[in-house]
Amino acid sequence: MSRLSDGGMIDRETTLNFTFDGQPMVGHPGDTIASALLANGQHLVARSIKYHRPRGIMSAGLEEPSALVTVKDETGSTPNLKVTEVSLRDGLEVSSQNNWPSLTHDRGATLALGGKSLSSGFYYKTFKWPRKAWQTTYAPIIRKAAGHGEVDATPDTALYDKRRKACDVLVIGSGATGLSAAITAAQSGATTIVLEQDSILGGTLLSSDATIAEQTATHWAEDAADALVSLSNVTVMTSTLAFGQYDHGLVQAVEQQTAGSAARSILWKIRAQKIILAAGAIERPIVFPGNDRPGIMLAGALQTYVRRFAVVPGKRAVVAVAEPNARADTIRALEHAGVEIAACLNAGDQILSTQGRLRVSGLTWRNTQGHRQKVTCDLVAMSAGWMPTAHLFAQMGQPLEFDAYTQSLLPPQTDGPLRPVGGARGVLNLRDCIADGKIAAHQVLAELQMHKHLSLTPPASTARPPQGFGSGKGKAFVDFQNDVTRDDIALAQREGYTDIELTKRYTTLGMGTDQGKTSWTNGILEIAALTGEDPAKIGHTTYRPAYSPVSLGTLIGTEVGEQMLPTRRTPFHGGFEKLGCVYQTSGDWLYSRYFPKAGETMEQAITRECHAVRRGLGCVDMSTLGKIDVKGPDALEFLSRLYCNNFAKIKVGRLRYALMLREDGYVFDDGTIARLSDTHFMVTATTANAGSVWRHMRKSAQLDWPELDVVLTSVSDHWASLAIAGPHARNLLTALNPDFDVSRPGFPFASVRAGHLGGLPVRVFSVSFSGELSYEINVPAGFADTLLSRVIAGGEQWDITPYGLETLDVLRIEKGHLSIGTEVDGRRTPADLGLGGMVSHTKDFVGRALLQRKALQKDNRAQLVGLESKDGATPIPIAAHLSTTPLGNGGPMQTCGYLTAAIHSPTLDHPIALAFLEDGQNRTGEVLWAHSPIAGKSVQVRVTAPCAYDPKGERLNA
Amino acid sequence: MSYSGLSLLSNALTGNTRWPSIIDVSDLQKSYDIVIIGGGGHGLATAYYLAQNHGIKNIAVIESGWIGGGNTARNTTIVRSDYLLNSSFALKNFALGLWDQLSQDLNFNLMYEPRGYVDLAHSDGELEHFTLRANAMRLGGADAQILTGDALQARVPELDLSGAQRFPIAGALVQEAGGVVRHDAVAWGFARAASKAGIHIFQNCPATGIIIQNGKLEAIDTPQGRIRCGQALLSVAGASCEVAGLAGLDLPLNSINVQAFVTEPVKPALDAVVNYNAGLSYISQTDKGEFVLGGATDGYSSFARRGSFERIEDVLARAAQMFPFLPRLRLMRHWSGTADITMDGNAIMGPTPINGLMINGGWGYAGFKATPAVGHQMADLLATGQVPDLMCPFSYDRFEIGTEQDDGGIGPYPWLH
């Protein structure tokens, strides 16, 4: 074990067992997988994506570019986890990725021999011949080589949750800056939330040996954390990663599973008036040849592993830290762990190479006097400076600016809701950070008028020397995760991919699961060094959420499986279920589809249901229709403007079929308008357009014609609607004991009556979609069961047959009635649908102006027609296209229309269809071909009128 | 220098120091025959085909940012031609034919991978409508199949067809020639070939003015100076209404936010491109291993290139209906672009009321797949002055005369397309 005998924030009393590539290992509560691996002496943990170079653990945080592993627990396995981001749990199975047959002997490493021919973008330059070879041969190989881990293909059954919070001040990060800001905000009484992605508060204080107010930094952090937790106006959330800032002060964060919660993670949507971004800074690696070997680590990370996790990271170290204080701090930490300092490089030294196969074993450099020097070592502590973690700031689109003084990308001054503070704006000194957090909190409290304005001057950002070390030639990695070297960046410049965005896309610099956290600033400095350009002019690519990857499960939450969206059921659902209904999902609805009897196929059931309606009596659920109550002195005028047909003379107690156009003149929806009183109408919309017609009406009432005195109420859900249809419909209506006249003259077709049926309050509409005598009985939804049972009982003597969507469709096709989505497809004028005569010439209405357009008047437009098979028997294939010629030999062929519906008519006992046909209304009797290559069928058909059954509508008044 | 396996090897031996720039640096001339505003895929393809097919090379392509940095950079790289309307089908199917040979023509690997495009239907009625579309494709000379049950399961083994979903899957339209193309490479390949032909390409060079006299185009203003030209093509995708505004044109379109996002890269786990239709959600896996997903627009006008997170949650929920393992993956990055969506959801291509000024815009979030066809046809128009057949249905004046090309039948509501 490579663990110090005391110190650190681990619980040595408890041992956690885990495995790495099958090898048993142990750790303690408080460990991350990274610290546990290091404590077990395991530096080699990964192979790089392109060259399969051995890689170790470089960092101690979310910026980790290299050490990606697959972690398996009782719920399955998760790929691409950074060893630094996962708290150790008992029983974890940790596996390395992207190697074969093993991590130590990875055949893929031979690829590295391809060396310079695998330069950036090599795949754009080759794999082009033979012509299909990319898709058949090369791409599959490249794809297998790419990607990191393997996804567990079994369904994810874990629970995820989503919750919301709001606060005055949200503090992101709990290092010195964040704690200082949070305490200041909390003491003023502001509701304060502190988010910390780590499992405990403290940030880099936990790996610092500094003293604050005569306390160790760790104790100061613990005291501050205790104080915060004890305040009732503060919520402290650990293991919670703020991954994105969104408009209007919204921050989204993911809380990892905590004890006592059934959810694996929770997505928090936190709306804050002010946000203090105290996320600290990320250390920059040094770009030098062989800078990627296991054992070469960021200096700050080494301090963390030694001080927080009591890990002994190696025996002999080379320290390459640019900044003197940080260098001294690193040496103190290493010496505390008993690590021998083999060498300590000075600014200006040129690093030439490193040695070692699976772990660094030596480092060669040339000192400022020009002497070449070499030491053996098993550890290199490197630091080129720090990069502010201002990602959440930059995500909103305002760019960071390169600052020569700090040699980093800094957020500009801002008065937006989010304020980068401390390390996130380049303040690195501990005391300055504490001051900066406090001052930032005072400032936002004053802006919230919870505090008076204090004229406090925030501390300046901390100066850093330019990158302090030179570099020799060789494979010097800038982006470790994507194996992007200095030479790759140079190649991109040479080949004209000079814009920073093009450099990124050509080399893949800054892509990947770490999104360039350790590589961006170095990349910009490399480009500047190569081209001589001012780094401030190079800019940076767009910062986008997520700051660090978040599981899709968390973002989906509980909306999985059948619970993805609410399922709407009509008030008759339960009643129909008892009648043996088969349901089908239709948009939001579960809709009754058909009612099979024992042993019946769907086709047999449909035929039986159709015959029942045509010959006897059927009933069908119409509750999904949109129902809109229109009231007011201007109700008639309002509807007259919305619908294209004339119904100004509609009498109370009557209803009209009505056609609604879109503003561009095409048919939008059809329905009925029933006049209940002089100023009161009930309007229906189709099921498909129930929502959109309602929106259209409201928009018209509120925005277009606010002068009209009309009140709209959506009553779709208030009324249950059951249609009884068939020659016996009036008999049944009579049997239901109405308190109004239902005789033919007393209640003619296209009328409405309000009254009672055996005491049930109803509105009955004499309308018909089936073409048979029919009444739509509307009752308040709560009476649906009663109505249904009375209809079924009362209709028994006429063998009443419940029917569903399928039969409804067959009946309407026989009648040539329109269906939304098929005939009314958003591209048809009333004339196209044979309804040109309905359009009023005497009034204005929505769509009138654009309906006059030239191309909409042409007589060769596709028009709705009926079809029957030429021989009267051959089935017409569904979804066929019409042509005047037989099917050709596969080449493009001329068509003149297509089918919208095709059935074998149960009533007529021969195949019929509806179709759009160019100039169709003038082609009745013509014989055409209906081709369906999908069905492998071509059938000769004869053009007819759309209505195949009872064209004069005599049955409606039976 | 020609790109090949051999040139890769020989350049490796010289340390990759001899690769030339894909774009030659040129000085902005005072005049060109043609100025193409917009260095995205469409504009660069137009430049390439003008040189390749018509020998016209006195052309400047001016790009306000970096080449391919607009909607060419911000799409889900899907190519397909599964349209019912013949106008839409014909143009995109022509593009599919071009995609198939472009890597060789351009000497640049665009990584066209016809992995198959799978469009899911959620009811028998919807499947009937898909069959109508598949028949149209077949009769138009393209491949298309309707798959259900076991055949669909065999085609996309990862797909959940158990039916234990909110919107069970009834079947699918499958176009095997559909797939993906590496989007950045399209801009780079066309730019390199155009530059090689002698066409001048200028980055960071926005059009700041369109000079018109007596209804005729005279010149384009840029920060680097005025460029006189006989003709200009406006091909600026999300910026269409702004740039057309420089010419006083008020385009019948809205600029709408549309988002896409990727997961972390993993080893291959999905081959096909799959589209969910009960609330739009489309998904494919890139060569790098990321799952890339998109959905409908955000439904509101915006140039923010930053969208509403609700759309992401919505698209992901649908994606997980198809592939129940997806929740295990992690979202790496999400972004947003500006889609220029017209009153019928289809593109506007051809002459404008200003003599000499052509437009190619209104592609919304559907333009990537058509890139080479648009370039090819636009080059024909600019070279001959004749509107080519495939372009005719997409005329600027179609909204006025009533010949909309509304594939979805959605109408003049750009936010719903």
Side-chain angles (χ1 to χ4, degrees):
Chain A
M1 284 297 290
S2 311
R3 187 85 83 171
L4 293 168
S5 57
D6 63 353
M9 308 182 73
I10 49 167
D11 171 15
R12 286 183 174 76
E13 302 296 308
T14 311
T15 298
L16 302 174
N17 292 292
F18 72 106
T19 62
F20 177 69
D21 278 349
Q23 205 62 25
M25 294 188 177
V26 292
H28 301 291
D31 265 327
T32 61
I33 292 178
S35 66
L37 285 168
L38 291 171
N40 283 274
Q42 187 74 41
H43 275 261
L44 172 69
V45 295
R47 288 282 178 162
S48 73
I49 191 72
K50 190 159 142 190
Y51 301 120
H52 288 251
R53 290 172 66 97
R55 290 282 167 82
I57 299 163
M58 192 170 89
S59 73
L62 292 178
E63 67 272 28
E64 177 59 41
S66 296
L68 308 184
V69 294
T70 299
V71 177
K72 192 174 173 198
D73 63 11
E74 60 286 350
T75 65
S77 74
T78 309
N80 299 353
L81 293 176
K82 299 167 179 103
V83 292
T84 50
E85 70 176 314
V86 185
S87 295
L88 189 67
R89 303 192 300 280
D90 198 55
L92 291 185
E93 295 172 37
V94 181
S95 311
S96 61
Q97 304 179 154
N98 202 42
N99 60 71
W100 185 84
S102 72
L103 183 58
T104 48
H105 294 90
D106 179 12
R107 297 269 166 82
T110 50
L111 270 177
L113 302 175
K116 291 201 158 75
S117 60
L118 299 185
S119 55
S120 270
F122 72 95
Y123 30 76
Y124 299 121
K125 294 172 180 160
T126 184
F127 305 139
K128 300 185 298 295
W129 299 97
R131 215 159 68 80
K132 304 275 184 197
W134 170 255
Q135 67 215 45
T136 56
T137 310
Y138 299 123
I141 295 172
I142 295 264
R143 289 186 69 195
K144 265 186 199 150
H148 294 278
E150 280 183 41
V151 64
D152 183 341
T154 60
D156 186 359
T157 54
L159 289 174
Y160 300 94
D161 203 359
K162 292 182 188 178
R163 296 182 197 169
R164 287 176 161 77
K165 269 189 192 297
C167 63
D168 295 324
V169 180
L170 173 66
V171 179
I172 299 169
S174 69
T177 312
L179 288 175
S180 160
I183 285 175
T184 308
Q187 284 172 344
S188 77
T191 55
T192 304
I193 296 175
V194 182
L195 299 183
E196 171 55 58
Q197 59 90 15
D198 207 335
S199 55
I200 46 175
L201 299 185
T204 50
L205 292 172
L206 305 178
S207 51
S208 166
D209 66 351
T211 53
I212 306 168
E214 296 172 10
Q215 273 185 305
T216 66
T218 315
H219 286 158
W220 188 86
E222 280 169 2
D223 285 358
D226 286 350
L228 283 172
V229 172
S230 70
L231 288 168
S232 61
N233 56 330
V234 180
T235 307
V236 173
M237 301 168 74
T238 55
S239 299
T240 306
L241 170 76
F243 66 85
Q245 189 205 171
Y246 298 84
D247 286 303
H248 316 302
L250 176 68
V251 166
Q252 297 199 93
V254 173
E255 180 180 6
Q256 292 308 317
Q257 187 170 42
T258 49
S261 167
R264 177 185 285 172
S265 57
I266 301 167
L267 174 66
W268 287 100
K269 292 168 182 281
I270 304 171
R271 191 72 70 173
Q273 299 209 55
K274 301 289 175 186
I275 304 155
I276 291 179
L277 181 65
I282 292 168
E283 200 160 22
R284 284 197 284 123
I286 305 171
V287 182
F288 61 89
N291 59 347
D292 64 326
R293 293 187 205 282
I296 302 179
M297 300 170 70
L298 292 169
L302 276 169
Q303 293 174 35
T304 300
Y305 288 120
V306 170
R307 292 179 177 144
R308 176 169 165 191
F309 298 106
V311 166
V312 179
K315 293 189 177 69
R316 271 172 65 82
V318 173
V319 175
V321 177
E323 202 274 330
N325 289 328
R327 188 187 310 150
D329 202 1
T330 306
I331 291 170
R332 279 201 307 280
L334 290 172
E335 287 178 338
H336 174 72
V339 179
E340 181 190 343
I341 307 298
C344 186
L345 305 194
N346 294 308
D349 287 352
Q350 191 185 21
I351 307 177
L352 300 178
S353 66
T354 62
Q355 294 81 47
R357 192 173 84 85
L358 300 178
R359 180 162 175 188
V360 66
S361 64
L363 185 137
T364 310
W365 75 98
R366 181 172 283 120
N367 69 17
T368 45
Q369 288 83 46
H371 299 304
R372 187 186 169 90
Q373 294 186 290
K374 183 174 178 177
V375 294
T376 59
C377 62
D378 62 357
L379 199 60
V380 176
M382 65 172 167
S383 175
W386 294 79
M387 158 76 202
T389 310
H391 300 62
L392 262 65
F393 171 83
Q395 283 168 2
M396 292 299 285
Q398 202 179 350
L400 305 182
E401 293 161 3
F402 189 85
D403 172 58
Y405 183 67
T406 57
Q407 285 286 298
S408 62
L409 291 163
L410 290 189
Q413 279 283 340
T414 172
D415 57 2
L418 183 140
R419 310 292 164 80
V421 181
R425 67 171 193 91
V427 177
L428 300 173
N429 177 295
L430 182 57
R431 274 159 193 80
D432 283 351
C433 284
I434 293 171
D436 205 26
K438 192 171 178 175
I439 292 167
H442 278 310
Q443 174 62 29
V444 299
L445 289 167
E447 290 170 21
L448 292 172
Q449 298 183 325
M450 301 180 82
H451 201 307
K452 67 180 177 185
H453 272 280
L454 303 173
S455 294
L456 300 172
T457 309
S461 304
T462 313
R464 288 285 137 170
Q467 186 169 351
F469 302 100
S471 162
K473 285 193 191 320
K475 238 187 188 101
F477 289 90
V478 180
D479 186 309
F480 292 74
Q481 184 168 108
N482 296 305
D483 271 352
V484 180
T485 64
R486 169 182 288 150
D487 289 348
D488 289 323
I489 291 173
L491 180 64
Q493 309 311 307
R494 192 175 300 128
E495 294 193 88
Y497 302 95
T498 48
D499 190 286
I500 187 78
E501 286 280 4
L502 291 174
T503 302
K504 170 189 170 179
R505 284 155 184 273
Y506 190 59
T507 64
T508 69
L509 170 73
M511 293 186 178
T513 71
D514 61 337
Q515 291 283 291
K517 290 185 184 62
T518 54
S519 65
W520 261 125
T521 308
N522 280 346
I524 291 165
L525 290 168
E526 289 295 327
I527 293 170
L530 281 162
T531 61
E533 204 172 335
D534 176 2
K537 295 216 169 100
I538 294 170
H540 59 77
T541 62
T542 315
Y543 283 77
R544 299 280 191 187
Y547 168 67
S548 193
V550 293
S551 86
L552 303 190
T554 310
L555 305 182
I556 296 165
T558 55
E559 291 163 3
V560 293
E562 290 171 26
Q563 279 72 51
M564 183 179 74
L565 274 182
T567 300
R568 298 183 73 181
R569 293 174 174 81
T570 78
F572 295 112
H573 188 94
F576 274 144
E577 207 158 29
K578 290 187 197 118
L579 297 171
C581 180
V582 172
Y583 288 94
Q584 99 164 72
T585 303
S586 177
D588 293 345
W589 293 97
L590 260 188
Y591 205 102
S592 45
R593 190 175 190 187
Y594 64 105
F595 295 75
K597 291 194 166 170
E600 259 185 355
T601 64
M602 183 169 80
E603 283 67 31
Q604 288 166 338
I606 292 167
T607 303
R608 175 180 49 75
E609 290 172 14
C610 282
H611 288 329
V613 177
R614 294 273 183 243
R615 296 167 189 172
L617 185 59
C619 67
V620 62
D621 187 356
M622 302 300 285
S623 303
T624 58
L625 290 180
K627 294 177 273 296
I628 300 164
D629 189 274
V630 183
K631 241 182 188 167
D634 294 325
L636 182 63
E637 172 64 15
F638 176 75
L639 292 171
S640 173
R641 292 183 192 183
L642 273 176
Y643 289 87
C644 74
N645 48 317
N646 260 331
F647 46 83
K649 292 178 182 151
I650 181 175
K651 291 194 170 67
V652 173
R654 299 304 302 265
L655 61 81
R656 294 280 172 85
Y657 177 68
L659 204 58
M660 181 183 272
L661 308 187
R662 290 192 314 230
E663 282 153 291
D664 58 0
Y666 297 104
V667 177
F668 174 25
D669 200 52
D670 63 355
T672 58
I673 295 173
R675 189 163 201 171
L676 302 173
S677 79
D678 276 353
T679 56
H680 188 190
F681 296 81
M682 171 72 113
V683 180
T684 66
T686 59
T687 300
N689 283 330
S692 48
V693 166
W694 168 239
R695 282 196 298 276
H696 178 60
M697 281 197 182
R698 279 194 309 172
K699 180 236 173 203
S700 300
Q702 293 173 22
L703 298 175
D704 300 335
W705 313 311
E707 73 280 9
L708 295 184
D709 188 354
V710 57
V711 176
L712 304 174
T713 313
S714 171
V715 294
S716 299
D717 295 340
H718 301 63
W719 294 95
S721 176
L722 187 72
I724 54 172
H728 291 299
R730 183 177 293 113
N731 295 336
L732 175 58
L733 193 61
T734 309
L736 290 171
N737 194 16
D739 63 358
F740 49 91
D741 182 2
V742 299
S743 67
R744 194 190 324 177
F747 188 14
F749 180 68
S751 301
V752 57
R753 295 291 178 269
H756 295 81
L757 288 181
L760 272 184
V762 294
R763 282 179 189 163
V764 183
F765 302 78
S766 54
V767 290
S768 177
F769 196 45
S770 59
E772 298 299 323
L773 179 66
S774 170
Y775 302 96
E776 263 178 45
I777 306 169
N778 284 14
V779 288
F783 292 124
D785 276 345
T786 310
L787 176 66
L788 180 62
S789 54
R790 285 191 194 177
V791 162
I792 295 295
E796 202 176 352
Q797 55 180 309
W798 300 286
D799 193 18
I800 188 162
T801 302
Y803 64 99
L805 205 54
E806 295 290 343
T807 294
L808 197 70
D809 199 40
V810 167
L811 296 170
R812 73 98 193 166
I813 293 167
E814 289 179 338
K815 284 295 294 175
H817 287 162
L818 306 177
S819 175
I820 298 291
T822 48
E823 290 79 26
V824 181
D825 64 0
R827 295 186 288 265
R828 310 298 163 185
T829 65
D832 297 342
L833 298 168
L835 300 174
M838 281 182 75
V839 180
S840 169
H841 298 289
T842 57
K843 68 165 186 178
D844 199 5
F845 54 86
V846 173
R848 181 169 188 260
L850 293 187
L851 184 59
Q852 314 305 321
R853 289 179 293 171
K854 204 168 63 185
L856 273 56
Q857 313 307 320
K858 285 192 174 171
D859 50 14
N860 64 346
R861 291 175 62 84
Q863 292 156 344
L864 185 68
V865 297
L867 301 172
E868 57 190 20
S869 57
K870 186 187 167 199
D871 62 8
T874 311
I876 305 172
I878 59 160
H881 288 252
L882 297 171
S883 169
T884 53
T885 56
L887 195 62
N889 297 327
M893 72 177 292
Q894 197 72 35
T895 57
C896 51
Y898 59 75
L899 275 60
T900 59
I903 56 164
H904 180 89
S905 163
T907 310
L908 306 168
D909 197 23
H910 66 74
I912 58 168
L914 294 174
F916 283 114
L917 174 64
E918 286 169 14
D919 194 24
Q921 281 152 9
N922 292 318
R923 293 170 79 166
T924 305
E926 192 175 328
V927 173
L928 298 166
W929 286 93
H931 300 303
S932 173
I934 291 292
K937 290 200 168 79
S938 289
V939 174
Q940 284 193 288
V941 292
R942 185 180 294 109
V943 180
T944 67
C947 181
Y949 176 70
D950 185 28
K952 291 184 181 156
E954 288 160 343
R955 302 184 64 83
L956 294 174
N957 299 307
Chain B
M1 186 183 300
S2 179
Y3 288 166
S4 66
L6 197 66
S7 69
L8 268 176
L9 284 174
S10 65
N11 273 282
L13 295 176
T14 54
N16 287 316
T17 53
R18 295 185 187 171
W19 291 111
S21 175
I22 57 163
I23 303 175
D24 292 329
V25 178
S26 343
D27 291 327
L28 191 71
Q29 292 171 195
K30 287 208 163 15
S31 88
Y32 289 90
D33 291 344
I34 298 169
V35 172
I36 295 172
I37 306 171
H42 286 199
L44 292 165
T46 304
Y48 164 76
Y49 284 112
L50 276 166
Q52 180 73 14
N53 292 354
H54 303 283
I56 299 173
K57 298 170 180 178
N58 185 24
I59 301 168
V61 179
I62 60 170
E63 163 56 47
S64 71
W66 38 285
I67 53 165
N71 289 359
T72 304
R74 265 179 236 97
N75 63 75
T76 51
T77 80
I78 299 167
V79 297
R80 55 184 174 87
S81 69
D82 59 322
Y83 290 84
L84 176 64
L85 296 191
N86 188 58
S87 53
S88 291
F89 164 77
L91 191 73
K92 278 122 190 174
N93 205 50
F94 178 52
L96 268 186
L98 294 173
W99 286 123
D100 192 39
Q101 57 195 22
L102 261 177
S103 291
Q104 290 75 36
D105 291 351
L106 297 178
N107 183 233
F108 201 102
N109 188 1
L110 306 186
M111 305 182 202
Y112 164 56
E113 286 170 45
R115 300 196 201 154
Y117 175 75
V118 179
D119 199 16
L120 301 176
H122 302 277
S123 68
D124 290 350
E126 195 168 21
L127 197 61
E128 180 173 339
H129 195 70
F130 282 22
T131 309
L132 190 65
R133 198 148 48 93
N135 276 331
M137 294 164 69
R138 290 275 281 269
L139 293 168
D143 85 272
Q145 305 167 67
I146 295 292
L147 297 184
T148 57
D150 292 344
L152 178 57
Q153 189 74 80
R155 181 62 187 80
V156 189
E158 303 83 3
L159 194 60
D160 182 6
L161 293 174
S162 67
Q165 296 136 311
R166 177 64 182 83
F167 299 103
I169 294 161
L173 182 157
V174 179
Q175 182 178 28
E176 294 295 351
V180 291
V181 177
R182 171 82 183 124
H183 57 342
D184 292 327
V186 174
W188 303 341
F190 277 123
R192 174 168 166 268
S195 181
K196 203 172 167 186
I199 289 165
H200 291 181
I201 299 168
F202 302 97
Q203 300 184 75
N204 300 309
C205 183
T208 52
I210 296 176
I211 309 303
I212 299 156
Q213 267 181 1
N214 304 323
K216 186 183 178 318
L217 176 77
E218 291 288 320
I220 306 295
D221 277 348
T222 76
Q224 279 103 304
R226 177 164 291 187
I227 317 170
R228 307 195 74 81
C229 54
Q231 294 186 90
L233 170 65
L234 201 155
S235 187
V236 293
S240 286
C241 59
E242 293 171 297
V243 183
L246 297 176
L249 297 175
D250 191 4
L251 299 180
L253 57 80
N254 283 178
S255 305
I256 309 230
N257 213 60
V258 64
Q259 302 190 70
F261 38 99
V262 289
T263 68
E264 293 185 330
V266 290
K267 296 292 179 195
L270 175 66
D271 200 40
V273 178
V274 190
N275 188 49
Y276 189 84
N277 280 290
L280 199 57
S281 177
Y282 35 93
I283 182 166
S284 65
Q285 194 178 10
T286 68
D287 286 344
K288 286 176 63 192
E290 303 129 336
F291 281 83
V292 54
L293 297 107
T297 69
D298 281 7
Y300 56 84
S301 294
S302 169
F303 289 98
R305 288 185 182 171
R306 188 172 75 235
S308 146
F309 202 75
E310 279 64 28
R311 171 62 72 210
I312 294 176
E313 296 173 68
D314 182 86
V315 169
L316 282 172
R318 267 119 183 129
Q321 296 268 311
M322 296 186 273
F323 303 108
F325 66 84
L326 272 183
R328 294 183 183 283
L329 288 171
R330 298 200 294 176
L331 178 85
M332 189 167 78
R333 187 175 171 93
H334 71 82
W335 64 90
S336 173
T338 310
D340 45 331
I341 304 184
T342 66
M343 298 298 151
D344 63 3
N346 227 319
I348 302 173
M349 286 184 279
T352 68
I354 294 158
N355 195 356
L357 181 66
M358 309 295 173
I359 188 167
N360 166 47
W363 278 100
Y365 55 128
F368 177 72
K369 62 179 82 67
T371 303
V374 170
H376 188 284
Q377 295 287 292
M378 270 297 163
D380 279 2
L381 171 66
L382 289 162
T384 65
Q386 298 293 313
V387 181
D389 288 349
L390 288 181
M391 195 187 288
C392 274
F394 302 101
S395 67
Y396 182 91
D397 63 355
R398 70 175 183 275
F399 305 97
E400 196 182 326
I401 58 179
T403 56
E404 291 96 329
Q405 303 297 317
D406 192 342
D407 288 295
I410 287 161
Y413 313 111
W415 55 93
L416 295 179
H417 279 279

